[in-house]
Amino acid sequence: MSPGPEDIAREQIDRMLVSAGWAVQDAKAVNLYAKQGVAIREFELKSGFGTADYLLYVDGKAAEEPIGTDRVRSCGLTFD
């Protein structure tokens, strides 16, 4: 079965985050200290709020301001 549009987009976003220095992880296996910047895929929010495609953590803390994944590099949030 070929990947759907969401799968293709997720793969592209994952590659962009990794190339900008982020660690990309699944919500079921998270290490917030794997890198300075950690992006968690498919993060379940509080009841009634659904799922976040990506939840971004910097230095082990959730980013206070939403950061668009297509703007991560242009915001200057690259990690070595």
Side-chain angles (χ1 to χ4, degrees):
M1 181 181 210
S2 62
E6 286 186 21
D7 297 320
I8 294 168
R10 190 171 291 112
E11 289 173 10
Q12 291 173 338
I13 292 168
D14 284 0
R15 280 194 301 274
M16 289 176 7
L17 285 165
V18 169
S19 72
W22 293 79
V24 180
Q25 302 176 353
D26 291 320
K28 294 179 181 178
V30 174
N31 174 0
L32 296 180
Y33 300 98
K35 283 191 138 185
Q36 185 179 12
V38 176
I40 303 171
R41 289 187 211 97
E42 302 294 317
F43 188 88
E44 287 292 325
L45 302 172
K46 290 183 181 178
S47 180
F49 291 94
T51 304
D53 291 332
Y54 292 88
L55 186 60
L56 304 179
Y57 279 77
V58 177
D59 293 329
K61 297 179 183 174
E64 293 182 22
E65 296 287 322
I67 301 171
T69 54
D70 61 335
R71 296 179 19 183
V72 171
R73 185 174 286 181
S74 65
C75 289
L77 292 177
T78 58
F79 302 106
D80 297 325

